[in-house]
Amino acid sequence: MDAVIDIAVLREDFDPGALQEALPPASGGAGAVATFTGYVRGQDDRGALNWMELEHYPGMTEASLRRIADEACARWGLLAVTIVHRTGRLFPGERIVWVGTAAMHRGEAFAACEFLMDYLKTRAPLWKRESGEWGETWVEARDSDSDRAGRWQAP
Amino acid sequence: MDAVIDIAVLREDFDPGALQEALPPASGGAGAVATFTGYVRGQDDRGALNWMELEHYPGMTEASLRRIADEACARWGLLAVTIVHRTGRLFPGERIVWVGTAAMHRGEAFAACEFLMDYLKTRAPLWKRESGEWGETWVEARDSDSDRAGRWQAP
Amino acid sequence: MEVAVLFFARVREDLDCDRLQLALAEDGQTVGKVRERLMLRGPTWERVLSETNLVAACNHEVVDDSHRLSAGDEIAFYPPVTGG
Amino acid sequence: MEVAVLFFARVREDLDCDRLQLALAEDGQTVGKVRERLMLRGPTWERVLSETNLVAACNHEVVDDSHRLSAGDEIAFYPPVTGG
């Protein structure tokens, strides 16, 4: 059975409950749904955040997310994947990203969901700019994200 | 900050979207929410399932889920954990269990969510009875579940 | 002293019993001794309660046979769990 | 032949340019040659386009400097991504 893949890059907020409801249910054999939601944190070591702004490369972002989703489906035999990523200015507490995976069993759903987040963070052409107590800066890519993504490569 | 732990064992269905909404938001520092939903599969190698019935040990089930949640909070510094498990007769496509974890970063949220499912499956006093094309049988504990739970123990 | 003993799932069905009260001598009682005493009830009890993967709990915590009992304890015997 | 070149995020800001069209000789054009040609535009261009972690894409796929170009290709240069 072909996996159902749904990709969206949008400025508006999304509803995690509705997105999960739209993933294929157990009638299609899915016993397991794993989801991840990323939120704008209002505070970190540097102080309070005012806002975050997400720039992206229209067209390539969607293509890149679809490639990542295809890879996860092939690798874990998923029944469905949804990836939603917001762009534009976001404030503390707002949702940034949602990834949902449906699989027959939980091991595949969990692994694929974490893989998708790790790859999305290191491959999809999106960039964060932050304004906070420390001023206004582009977010620097973190080695820890590259390391996490590297875990999924065959040894 | 103490983690917010919410445990429920109930016969009624639950709403994943509402449960996620009730987890502490980013204002409390949570940048990451991972969730898992388990569904009744309508079909497996043995044929079609009619229904599944979940028996539990009232009182101990809740106590056991709380101990598992406490362990996850201590281990991954979670901000919140919710575990909801249904009992009674469930039909194909129905939700069985929901686990949600809120953490500052995604690594902790993912690991804790998977840990909670692995431990819940091997420790909480719940038992499944199934009726299907093959007759009516108690579900046998699977070595693969014990193996998954064993991964979390210190070497 | 009195203790309650509960049975669940397949164990409950096989024994055709979900709960019983046991009166025990005061001294040196353990979960293992309760298990042995119940096994004397007949061949089904002997078979089911000697299964190697049987789990024992006392007051909602998993324990082993050496666990010492107090008056009013709630003991449970059940098969490997299969929730989730 | 003509190609489009796009810049994003900090690279776009540093160059003060989000997009340009380049007319190239027909033969043997690569992403690396486009990069070298753009570096001649001035010290800022030279600095930004020689950053070792700069990513290059052609027609929405990440490529390296040896990637050969065709008329109408869309090339992009951008810093390491930070979405999610």
Side-chain angles (χ1 to χ4, degrees):
Chain A
M1 185 166 62
D2 272 355
V4 180
I5 296 178
D6 195 7
I7 306 288
V9 179
L10 73 192
R11 298 183 74 88
E12 301 76 43
D13 192 15
F14 53 81
D15 175 352
L19 290 171
Q20 175 163 345
E21 208 61 51
L23 281 171
S27 56
V33 168
T35 79
F36 178 83
T37 311
Y39 295 84
V40 181
R41 295 179 62 213
Q43 184 89 28
D44 66 19
D45 318 345
R46 299 166 301 171
L49 179 88
N50 300 321
W51 48 256
M52 158 185 296
E53 213 158 62
L54 272 143
E55 178 172 336
H56 78 123
Y57 180 176
M60 181 166 171
T61 310
E62 293 83 348
S64 154
L65 295 176
R66 182 163 292 273
R67 279 194 292 268
I68 296 167
D70 284 339
E71 192 171 337
C73 289
R75 192 151 166 182
W76 285 285
L78 302 179
L79 301 166
V81 172
T82 296
I83 305 176
V84 178
H85 205 299
R86 293 178 69 192
T87 60
R89 188 168 289 199
L90 302 176
F91 294 90
E94 285 199 75
R95 287 178 275 261
I96 307 169
V97 60
W98 193 86
V99 171
T101 55
M104 296 220 305
H105 303 291
R106 75 186 185 286
E108 288 74 23
F110 272 123
C113 193
E114 195 164 3
F115 164 90
L116 287 165
M117 279 306 302
D118 288 347
Y119 267 42
L120 180 160
K121 285 217 170 219
T122 51
R123 296 200 178 177
L126 289 143
W127 303 271
K128 287 190 189 118
R129 190 176 172 78
E130 292 176 332
S131 161
E133 289 187 51
W134 58 88
E136 205 179 309
T137 46
W138 287 101
V139 172
E140 291 292 321
R142 293 189 306 178
D143 288 342
S144 61
D145 284 326
S146 303
D147 294 347
R148 291 185 69 85
R151 296 179 306 159
W152 301 102
Q153 269 147 34
Chain B
M1 184 168 62
D2 272 355
V4 180
I5 295 177
D6 195 6
I7 306 290
V9 179
L10 74 190
R11 298 185 72 87
E12 301 75 44
D13 192 16
F14 53 81
D15 175 352
L19 290 170
Q20 175 164 345
E21 207 62 47
L23 280 172
S27 55
V33 168
T35 79
F36 179 84
T37 312
Y39 294 84
V40 181
R41 294 179 62 212
Q43 184 88 28
D44 66 19
D45 318 345
R46 299 165 303 171
L49 179 89
N50 301 320
W51 48 258
M52 157 185 295
E53 213 160 62
L54 273 144
E55 178 172 336
H56 77 124
Y57 180 176
M60 180 166 171
T61 309
E62 292 83 348
S64 154
L65 294 177
R66 183 164 289 276
R67 279 193 294 268
I68 296 167
D70 284 339
E71 193 171 336
C73 289
R75 194 153 164 181
W76 285 285
L78 301 179
L79 301 166
V81 172
T82 296
I83 305 176
V84 178
H85 206 298
R86 293 178 69 192
T87 60
R89 187 167 292 196
L90 301 176
F91 294 90
E94 287 199 74
R95 286 178 275 262
I96 306 170
V97 60
W98 193 85
V99 171
T101 54
M104 297 219 305
H105 302 291
R106 75 186 185 287
E108 289 74 23
F110 272 124
C113 194
E114 194 164 5
F115 164 89
L116 288 165
M117 278 306 303
D118 288 347
Y119 267 42
L120 181 161
K121 285 220 171 217
T122 51
R123 295 199 177 177
L126 290 144
W127 302 273
K128 285 190 190 120
R129 190 177 173 74
E130 291 176 332
S131 160
E133 288 186 51
W134 58 88
E136 204 179 308
T137 46
W138 288 99
V139 173
E140 293 291 322
R142 294 189 305 177
D143 287 342
S144 62
D145 284 327
S146 302
D147 293 348
R148 291 184 69 84
R151 294 179 305 160
W152 301 101
Q153 270 148 35
Chain C
M1 67 181 184
E2 286 237 331
V3 295
V5 188
L6 282 63
F7 307 99
F8 290 96
R10 188 181 44 67
V11 170
R12 171 182 56 71
E13 269 189 6
D14 286 353
L15 300 178
D16 195 21
C17 176
D18 61 357
R19 182 189 185 103
L20 52 81
Q21 292 288 127
L22 268 191
L24 303 172
E26 294 298 322
D27 282 355
Q29 291 296 333
T30 64
V31 166
K33 285 189 181 168
V34 165
R35 186 208 289 254
E36 279 161 27
R37 175 158 156 193
L38 292 171
M39 283 166 69
L40 301 175
R41 290 193 160 211
T44 303
W45 290 75
E46 185 175 354
R47 175 179 61 76
V48 171
L49 294 179
S50 62
E51 283 171 7
T52 53
N53 61 8
L54 194 76
V55 181
C58 181
N59 300 332
H60 297 168
E61 297 225 37
V62 172
V63 295
D64 61 26
D65 274 352
S66 67
H67 183 82
R68 298 181 76 87
L69 299 176
S70 306
D73 277 355
E74 178 177 297
I75 301 154
F77 293 106
Y78 56 75
V81 304
T82 56
Chain D
M1 67 182 185
E2 286 239 330
V3 296
V5 188
L6 282 63
F7 307 99
F8 291 96
R10 189 182 41 69
V11 170
R12 171 181 56 71
E13 269 190 5
D14 286 354
L15 300 179
D16 195 22
C17 175
D18 61 357
R19 181 189 185 102
L20 53 80
Q21 292 288 127
L22 268 191
L24 303 173
E26 294 297 324
D27 282 355
Q29 291 296 331
T30 63
V31 167
K33 286 189 181 167
V34 166
R35 186 208 290 254
E36 279 162 26
R37 173 158 158 193
L38 292 171
M39 283 166 68
L40 301 175
R41 293 194 157 210
T44 304
W45 291 75
E46 185 175 354
R47 176 179 60 74
V48 171
L49 293 179
S50 63
E51 284 172 5
T52 54
N53 61 10
L54 194 76
V55 182
C58 181
N59 300 332
H60 297 167
E61 298 225 37
V62 171
V63 295
D64 61 27
D65 274 351
S66 65
H67 182 82
R68 296 181 78 86
L69 299 177
S70 307
D73 278 354
E74 179 176 296
I75 301 156
F77 293 105
Y78 56 76
V81 303
T82 56

